[in-house]
């Protein structure tokens, strides 16, 4: 059975509750965005954390 991805950002809004539920925080998501050259979460339509740890970002 495959776990569903967790939504971290939707329509520019960071989903703090989902981050906390995964044991992550604002600093972590901002570091992941920075790795992709993104500085503002408001530029993101959708960011999800896959069950294998991969972060999927759609702008």
């Amino acid at each position: 059975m495959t776990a569903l991805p967790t939504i971290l950002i939707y329509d520019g809004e960071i989903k703090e509750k989902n981050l906390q539920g995964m044991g992550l925080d604002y600093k972590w998501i901002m570091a992941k965005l920075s790795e992709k050259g993104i500085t503002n979460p408001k530029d993101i339509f959708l960011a999800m954390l896959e069950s294998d740890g991969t972060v999927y970002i759609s702008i």
Side-chain angles (χ1 to χ4, degrees):
M1 185 168 158
T2 305
L4 294 173
T6 301
I7 295 173
L8 303 177
I9 300 174
Y10 180 72
D11 200 21
E13 182 184 328
I14 295 176
K15 302 299 181 183
E16 296 281 348
K17 192 178 271 188
N18 290 357
L19 272 175
Q20 292 168 359
M22 300 299 289
L24 305 170
D25 60 14
Y26 179 82
K27 248 172 91 171
W28 180 88
I29 190 66
M30 292 308 293
K32 288 294 180 183
L33 295 180
S34 180
E35 287 173 12
K36 309 262 187 202
I38 301 165
T39 56
N40 189 341
K42 297 217 178 295
D43 295 335
I44 306 295
F45 172 67
L46 181 65
M48 297 186 300
L49 180 62
E50 303 287 345
S51 57
D52 66 358
T54 305
V55 177
Y56 168 83
I57 297 173
S58 175
I59 53 174

